[in-house]
Amino acid sequence: MDINQVLLQRIKMPLKSSFETSFGKVTEKDIIVVRVFSEDKVGIAESVAMPFPIYNEETTGTVWYMLEHFLIPQLLEKGVKHPRDVFDMFSYIRRNNMAKAALEMAVWDLYSKQNGLSLSAVLGGTRKEIEVGVSIGIEDNIDDLLIKVNHFLNEGYKKIKVKIKPGWDIEPLRAIRNKFGDDIPLMADANSAYTLNDKALLKELDTFNLMMVEQPLAHDDIIDHAKLQAEMKTPICLDESIHSVEDARKALEIEACKIINIKIGRVGGLTEAKKIHDLCEERDVPVWCGGMLEAGIGRAHNIAIASLSNFTIPGDTSSSSRYFNEDIIFPEVTLSKPGMISVPERPGIGFDINNELINKMIVNDKTFTKATMIS
Ligand code: OSB
Ligand code: MG
């Protein structure tokens, strides 16, 4: 593929409003824009790690470190023939999946552009439009939550996901059901806030006709999730516990979940994301594409993977305006019709880059070339 240069730009983007989960609050997006250059084309991606190691062990800082010291030197020295080689090339390095994914996704975009195909087409996507939902953080009070739910339902989102934690679970869900009825597509995401000691409360969730409950138990558990799933009617969806297709296989084998949330960053890139998709498809397990409050470049990659056939549940990829006053891509991600986003057909991720905006928000940047790597 002839990759001769990589550019990293760390940028900080203001969020329209803070986003709170059971593990903490985010007030701005701290991302690394990664570009890989060949003779005449550029591939692009963004890192999805949070600024603090509270969702997983990575941070924006560790992603930069891994890229600078291990991943970029490898890629520039060894080169690849196909983007699927990148995952294998990095497999001797333990974890750091979000760092690996940031570079691998840029290589996939470059490959698509070199071949004049959309990223969706290169990945084997079949959908022209994807169904999307929205994720709502923990709010200050029930009234604020209901206002948000109402707003996003009016925009047509096909899945309302609300964050829950002990003390903010039964009451908000009941309030939503009371106000909007039993039929709106509703789910809850606990981000690992409970243990099996909370079984009685978790079983009470069965009364709310939820599409699923996401990651109720520990971030590194599948055993207790299997125990809980055996006693709950509501399908369990795993997020934090699944880092690889092997994790997915084991979770499905012991029936720890009935649905998997696929996040490209969490699993180390598009190659592994597609493998998890394929495994789940074979086993009739639906998947959907999760989110990490991505800016536009990350959203574009999510749209491409979500165009694969077994993404049968609306994902968390909302419009750019859900989180940002201004996004780093042209055009911004918008709903093509209520609850739908069209999959771009242009080569690569199919969006242009708003470099002027990126340049205004840069806190650090660095260029790597073959020559600088060898010295
Ligand atoms: O658990 O899905 C999650 C955001 C940051 C970290 C973890 C999660 C989330 C979200 C937001 O739920 C999804 C989005 O809108 O991008
Ligand atoms: Mg989640």
Side-chain angles (χ1 to χ4, degrees):
M1 290 182 64
D2 187 33
I3 297 166
N4 54 37
Q5 190 179 316
V6 180
L7 169 64
L8 300 184
Q9 296 168 308
R10 182 168 180 172
I11 62 174
K12 293 200 177 177
M13 286 177 80
L15 287 174
K16 266 186 177 173
S17 57
S18 63
F19 187 86
E20 188 175 337
T21 61
S22 63
F23 54 63
K25 201 185 252 191
V26 208
T27 53
E28 66 176 0
K29 255 318 261 186
D30 179 8
I31 65 181
I32 300 165
V33 176
V34 180
R35 293 183 220 228
V36 295
F37 297 79
S38 68
E39 205 55 59
D40 61 345
K41 294 279 191 290
V42 189
I44 195 159
E46 80 181 54
S47 70
V48 298
M50 313 272 283
F52 307 104
I54 50 177
Y55 165 79
N56 67 350
E57 73 282 9
E58 298 184 83
T59 68
T60 319
T62 69
V63 168
W64 184 286
Y65 185 90
M66 291 304 295
L67 286 167
E68 174 168 16
H69 295 285
F70 297 100
L71 305 174
I72 294 171
Q74 281 264 314
L75 180 69
L76 286 175
E77 278 166 29
K78 292 198 181 145
V80 284
K81 288 203 178 66
H82 191 280
R84 78 172 78 87
D85 303 341
V86 179
F87 186 85
D88 289 341
M89 173 191 271
F90 294 158
S91 65
Y92 79 98
I93 294 170
R94 300 291 179 238
R95 295 286 182 132
N96 291 284
N97 285 350
M98 290 176 173
K100 293 173 181 174
L103 194 53
E104 193 241 24
M105 292 158 80
V107 177
W108 273 104
D109 179 42
L110 175 65
Y111 177 85
S112 311
K113 286 169 175 161
Q114 286 176 336
N115 288 280
L117 295 167
S118 72
L119 180 59
S120 161
V122 162
L123 293 169
T126 51
R127 296 167 195 280
K128 299 270 173 257
E129 269 184 320
I130 59 164
E131 292 192 307
V132 294
V134 67
S135 174
I136 305 178
I138 290 160
E139 299 295 319
D140 289 340
N141 55 66
I142 301 277
D143 285 346
D144 288 0
L145 174 68
L146 295 176
I147 289 169
K148 287 214 167 156
V149 172
N150 185 54
H151 171 81
F152 291 125
L153 284 173
N154 284 337
E155 291 195 8
Y157 284 104
K158 292 181 186 286
K159 185 186 73 184
I160 300 290
K161 158 166 144 182
V162 294
K163 295 289 188 179
I164 57 169
K165 65 174 184 182
W168 179 268
D169 38 42
I170 302 297
E171 216 195 322
L173 292 170
R174 181 175 295 135
I176 292 172
R177 280 294 183 220
N178 283 344
K179 186 160 170 102
F180 303 101
D182 284 336
D183 293 336
I184 65 154
L186 182 65
M187 64 167 289
D189 184 0
N191 287 108
S192 304
Y194 301 89
T195 70
L196 279 184
N197 293 331
D198 304 305
K199 199 156 76 185
L201 182 138
L202 291 165
K203 284 172 75 168
E204 212 181 320
L205 296 180
D206 278 346
T207 60
F208 295 110
N209 184 33
L210 302 177
M211 299 167 80
M212 71 195 90
V213 57
E214 184 178 346
Q215 197 73 33
L217 307 177
H219 70 95
D220 54 356
D221 168 77
I222 56 172
I223 302 284
D224 284 358
H225 280 98
K227 287 185 184 155
L228 180 63
Q229 183 68 89
E231 292 191 41
M232 263 183 106
K233 185 176 84 197
T234 309
I236 291 176
C237 170
L238 289 177
D239 173 356
E240 282 90 329
S241 295
I242 306 296
H243 303 277
S244 63
V245 67
E246 272 299 282
D247 285 350
R249 180 184 64 76
K250 290 168 191 166
L252 295 178
E253 223 154 275
I254 65 165
E255 296 177 43
C257 64
K258 294 181 177 164
I259 299 171
I260 291 179
N261 163 338
I262 295 182
K263 289 182 183 170
I264 308 164
R266 195 193 66 226
V267 305
L270 286 160
T271 308
E272 193 73 358
K274 185 172 158 55
K275 279 191 190 158
I276 297 173
H277 164 274
D278 294 350
L279 172 83
C280 289
E281 185 155 64
E282 248 170 60
R283 303 199 178 185
D284 271 328
V285 173
V287 302
W288 53 280
C289 182
M292 293 292 294
L293 318 173
E294 286 89 346
I297 300 165
R299 259 163 229 281
H301 281 272
N302 288 342
I303 293 166
I305 193 79
S307 71
L308 272 64
S309 54
N310 194 41
F311 282 84
T312 53
I313 297 173
D316 274 353
T317 309
S318 45
S319 65
S320 299
S321 63
R322 156 82 181 92
Y323 293 113
F324 306 103
N325 285 318
E326 210 183 347
D327 204 348
I328 54 177
I329 54 167
F330 296 123
E332 292 191 344
V333 174
T334 52
L335 299 185
S336 48
K337 53 171 115 93
M340 307 294 284
I341 293 176
S342 13
V343 179
E345 288 174 8
R346 291 168 50 203
I349 60 171
F351 290 87
D352 292 319
I353 305 304
N354 186 345
N355 286 310
E356 199 183 322
L357 181 62
I358 290 180
N359 288 335
K360 276 193 229 161
M361 301 187 296
I362 290 186
V363 291
N364 194 12
D365 63 355
K366 188 163 179 174
T367 297
F368 303 81
T369 61
K370 274 190 187 174
T372 57
M373 291 289 93
I374 290 157
S375 64

